[in-house]
Amino acid sequence: MELKTDISQIPRYSGDISIFWFRRDLRIEDNTAFTEALRSNQTVLPIFIFDSCILNELPKNDARVSFIHKNLAQLKKRLKDNGSDILCLAGDPLTIWPKLTEHYTIKSVYTNKDYEPYAIDRDRKIQELLKEDNIAFHCYKDQVIFEQNDILKGNKEPYTVFTPYKNKWLDNYKSLSPLTISSPNLENLIKLTFPSLSLKDIGFKESSIAVKDYNLSQLSQYGAKRDFPSADMGSYLGPHLRFGTLGIRQLIQEIKEEDAVFLSELIWREFFMQILYHFPQVVTENFRSKYNGIQWRNNKDEFKLWCQGKTGYPMVDAGMRQLNKTGYMHNRVRMVTAGFLCKHLLIDWRWGETYFAEKLLDYELSSNNGNWQWAAGTGCDAAPYFRIFNPHSQLKKFDKDFQYVRKWITEFDSLEYPDPMVDHKMARERALEAYKSGIQND
Ligand code: FAD
């Protein structure tokens, strides 16, 4: 992707400014760095960069890009209502920042922290680049309640088991309450307007799949019903937390004491984020290297059947079809589909992880990786490898009236629906054997 905006053509500003860089925090309220930038008494220019290093990897009708674009348009409107604007740019941030520093007299840059390996590396390079011009780079914790070093074991090492992590998280949380929710004073915003970037300008088109609004009205039933896919108890918060259209503090404040199961899920999110931060090798490697010897079968035709939802196992197929059609899959079904790929088909978890990453509207590197490694048995705090889901029993237990599978598999009751592509008993034994013989001693 070429840089679409010629920065020399955008309006200049005669005085000193601070820049606030929106990334995965597309909101005004409860936005830590934005509030801090506006508090600094400097004129603040808000910017967003469609990062070509990320976008170049995505399909041109990616629904997440449409979602970001739509939310930026809403932000633009809010800022314009306040006499200001957001400067949207597209390209490689490492090319854009030097042009911005030439065009404006920037005193400082404010942004919220991002803990993914690519973002950490990018931000380090940008901080160095800004330092050459004596520009301060201020990064704030924002997308989590507790970041990488906030919850550590007594010996200052990161937790790799969830339950003690969660207990410490809850203890520390008590001492935080009440949480501070920032509401920025927009007076210091720059009084300029900028051209808009259309989806077409950045090489994309509108997706036919839309991100749903989140729904917190069912939380009282979440604990009891969340495992039944037809009950559809999910909050659909994923993409909103990923792109920051809702702040985590604002969300947590709405959770009541009896919503402990739901809170626990949000703690899993932070658990996997700190795992990714401390063990970035998990992006490509097994968390537990003793599983490195597993001989994956990696049959491409079988992988295709799994992707298409044509395995003959209804819960797997319904899940994959829900994913392909909507960009969402119920959590219990994600566990079943992932387990089936790794164990029944003996296909490397990285193949499944990559497919989910492309399709999920709520794709989050840390959660996707952590959960895939959990399903494969290779991750931290993962299920032991010999616990192999029986997709038939899962169906009986969680969708006994076939409501969910009938919704997604239209030919479910007809002869067209395929027989199971692999026998469960045989596949189970084959997986046990492959894992057993692949395990290497530490
Ligand atoms: P809810 O059930 O309403 O939960 C609320 C929020 O809690 C979620 O939005 C999410 O932020 C967090 N959460 C819930 N469960 C988990 C979990 N197990 N791990 C981490 N965070 C959790 N979640 C993602 O956000 N992105 C992913 O890419 C992702 N990939 C997954 C892959 C596999 C194989 C599996 C088994 C799970 C994956 N999950 C992922 C976790 C979980 O399935 C989704 O967060 C959840 O289904 C999203 O729906 P929801 O927003 O309605 O969640």
Side-chain angles (χ1 to χ4, degrees):
M1 188 207 302
E2 295 286 305
L3 180 64
K4 292 294 173 191
T5 318
D6 177 0
I7 291 181
S8 66
Q9 297 299 309
I10 59 176
R12 289 181 179 275
Y13 186 78
S14 54
D16 296 345
I17 60 163
S18 284
I19 287 191
F20 170 68
W21 185 8
F22 278 106
R23 286 116 61 107
R24 40 174 304 172
D25 48 6
L26 302 179
R27 65 184 184 282
I28 306 247
E29 280 76 28
D30 191 22
N31 185 326
T32 315
F34 191 37
T35 305
E36 290 299 327
L38 287 164
R39 214 180 256 163
S40 72
N41 272 336
Q42 194 80 252
T43 299
V44 176
L45 163 66
I47 70 161
F48 180 86
I49 301 172
F50 285 98
D51 185 340
S52 55
C53 307
I54 299 171
L55 297 195
N56 285 349
E57 306 293 315
L58 302 176
K60 294 303 165 212
N61 60 349
D62 195 286
R64 295 158 296 193
V65 179
S66 295
F67 181 67
I68 293 171
H69 189 264
K70 186 183 113 194
N71 278 284
L72 278 173
Q74 285 167 3
L75 275 178
K76 205 170 170 64
K77 179 160 184 323
R78 279 236 14 226
L79 296 181
K80 279 192 159 182
D81 290 346
N82 284 276
S84 185
D85 203 347
I86 174 167
L87 171 60
C88 292
L89 305 156
D92 182 344
L94 293 175
T95 318
I96 288 176
W97 275 102
K99 293 189 182 186
L100 282 172
T101 58
E102 269 172 32
H103 197 73
Y104 293 112
T105 312
I106 306 170
K107 289 292 162 192
S108 42
V109 173
Y110 289 79
T111 201
N112 287 313
K113 283 192 208 169
D114 186 327
Y115 309 100
E116 293 190 359
Y118 163 73
I120 291 174
D121 185 51
R122 177 198 60 202
D123 287 356
R124 188 183 45 77
K125 288 177 181 150
I126 284 166
Q127 181 167 21
E128 278 166 16
L129 193 147
L130 294 173
K131 205 168 158 197
E132 285 171 20
D133 290 324
N134 269 330
I135 303 171
F137 189 62
H138 304 289
C139 268
Y140 292 86
K141 171 169 78 169
D142 181 71
Q143 56 168 289
V144 287
I145 300 293
F146 294 117
E147 62 182 1
Q148 69 275 9
N149 292 326
D150 287 343
I151 309 282
L152 294 172
K153 293 196 277 191
N155 63 5
K156 303 288 175 222
E157 283 182 6
Y159 282 99
T160 55
V161 177
F162 179 67
T163 305
Y165 171 86
K166 175 179 148 182
N167 291 339
K168 183 104 177 237
W169 193 105
L170 289 169
D171 271 355
N172 287 14
Y173 179 65
K174 270 183 220 142
S175 59
L176 275 190
S177 326
L179 289 169
T180 321
I181 313 262
S182 56
S183 184
N185 175 355
L186 302 179
E187 255 166 50
N188 285 340
L189 284 173
I190 203 161
K191 303 285 182 264
L192 289 177
T193 53
F194 304 105
S196 297
L197 277 183
S198 68
L199 273 175
K200 197 169 163 214
D201 289 333
I202 58 166
F204 281 76
K205 57 183 183 188
E206 190 75 39
S207 168
S208 56
I209 298 179
V211 170
K212 279 188 166 192
D213 287 343
Y214 59 84
N215 175 13
L216 301 179
S217 67
Q218 307 187 104
L219 289 193
S220 59
Q221 302 178 65
Y222 183 87
K225 295 194 185 164
R226 71 188 176 124
D227 273 325
F228 299 91
S230 66
D232 202 15
M233 279 293 139
S235 62
Y236 288 82
L237 272 167
H240 299 278
L241 291 175
R242 168 74 204 171
F243 300 112
T245 45
L246 175 66
I248 187 74
R249 290 152 298 276
Q250 213 173 341
L251 165 64
I252 295 248
Q253 220 189 22
E254 295 195 28
I255 298 176
K256 303 189 185 69
E257 233 176 288
E258 55 270 30
D259 303 329
V261 178
F262 183 74
L263 179 60
S264 185
E265 297 305 330
L266 294 173
I267 303 175
W268 270 108
R269 172 178 171 268
E270 298 198 0
F271 174 71
F272 283 135
M273 280 192 180
Q274 59 96 37
I275 289 287
L276 176 63
Y277 180 86
H278 288 290
F279 307 95
Q281 71 274 18
V282 295
V283 174
T284 51
E285 304 294 323
N286 292 324
F287 179 88
R288 297 199 220 170
S289 54
K290 72 173 185 176
Y291 288 105
N292 288 353
I294 296 174
Q295 293 297 308
W296 302 106
R297 291 175 59 250
N298 288 348
N299 181 305
K300 284 191 180 141
D301 295 330
E302 292 184 4
F303 181 63
K304 204 167 157 198
L305 289 174
W306 177 84
C307 293
Q308 293 171 334
K310 292 184 178 167
T311 66
Y313 280 90
M315 200 141 178
V316 175
D317 294 342
M320 294 309 292
R321 293 185 200 194
Q322 181 183 24
L323 175 66
N324 292 335
K325 214 160 182 174
T326 67
Y328 182 83
M329 193 196 298
H330 183 273
N331 175 59
R332 162 72 37 189
V333 190
R334 290 187 202 200
M335 287 156 70
V336 175
T337 51
F340 183 83
L341 187 81
C342 303
K343 306 271 173 74
H344 287 71
L345 302 184
L346 275 173
I347 291 179
D348 193 328
W349 58 266
R350 282 158 276 233
W351 290 32
E353 187 204 17
T354 305
Y355 191 76
F356 270 32
E358 191 192 310
K359 298 280 174 189
L360 280 174
L361 296 177
D362 61 38
Y363 166 59
E364 177 79 73
L365 174 58
S366 51
S367 299
N368 200 38
N369 182 278
N371 280 286
W372 268 99
Q373 294 226 36
W374 179 89
T378 60
C380 62
D381 207 4
Y385 76 85
F386 46 82
R387 257 188 54 196
I388 298 180
F389 276 136
N390 178 338
H392 291 309
S393 320
Q394 292 286 310
L395 182 65
K396 251 193 215 153
K397 202 163 165 193
F398 297 112
D399 192 35
K400 67 175 171 17
D401 301 326
F402 305 131
Q403 270 191 50
Y404 174 74
V405 296
R406 279 207 177 99
K407 177 168 178 185
W408 297 106
I409 311 173
T410 44
E411 80 282 19
F412 180 64
D413 292 305
S414 79
L415 289 174
E416 261 176 69
Y417 186 63
D419 289 334
M421 63 186 285
V422 63
D423 174 64
H424 168 66
K425 197 160 168 276
M426 182 286 289
R428 184 176 183 281
E429 271 152 28
R430 184 174 65 184
L432 286 176
E433 190 45 47
Y435 271 75
K436 224 183 290 168
S437 50
I439 290 180
Q440 296 156 348
N441 291 325
D442 289 323

